[in-house]
Amino acid sequence: MIIAAILAIMVTMALAVTRALLGETVYDRILAVNVFGTKTVLLIAALAFLTGRPDVLDIALAYALINFIGVIAVLRYFEYGGPEND
């Protein structure tokens, strides 16, 4: 069952990469990158459960925080000082 969940997560990650590459607007691409980062956290958690190593969950939590801060930073950059203002 966990293998099926890991495969489903990887499929959604592939779809997110496709959306990031083919997104029409910057916000579509940023949303796709955020989805990819969230799925990466889920993948790390599922792999930690599969391998029986719960200590890896700390890495997943740190990655989630970095993903959140990164998305907020990129959104603020494009809202207040994007490439049009340079």
Side-chain angles (χ1 to χ4, degrees), residues 9 37-47 60:
I9 291 169
T38 303
K39 298 304 175 189
T40 302
V41 171
L42 288 175
L43 184 64
I44 291 171
L47 289 175

Side-chain angles (χ1 to χ4, degrees), residues 14-59:
L15 292 172
V17 168
T18 303
R19 185 63 179 173
L21 294 175
L22 301 176
E24 296 176 5
T25 65
V26 172
Y27 297 107
D28 289 339
R29 294 177 181 173
I30 292 171
L31 179 64
V33 170
N34 190 19
V35 168
F36 185 83
T38 303
K39 298 304 175 189
T40 302
V41 171
L42 288 175
L43 184 64
I44 291 171
L47 289 175
F49 179 77
L50 182 66
T51 59
R53 296 190 58 195
D55 53 334
V56 181
L57 291 176
D58 294 337
I59 296 171

Side-chain angles (χ1 to χ4, degrees), residues 2-3 11 16 22-24 28 37 41 44 48 50-51 68-69 73-74 76 84-85:
I2 193 72
I3 300 296
V11 167
L22 301 176
E24 296 176 5
D28 289 339
V41 171
I44 291 171
L50 182 66
T51 59
F68 175 73
I69 292 170
V74 170
R76 286 187 61 93
E84 296 89 23
N85 293 336

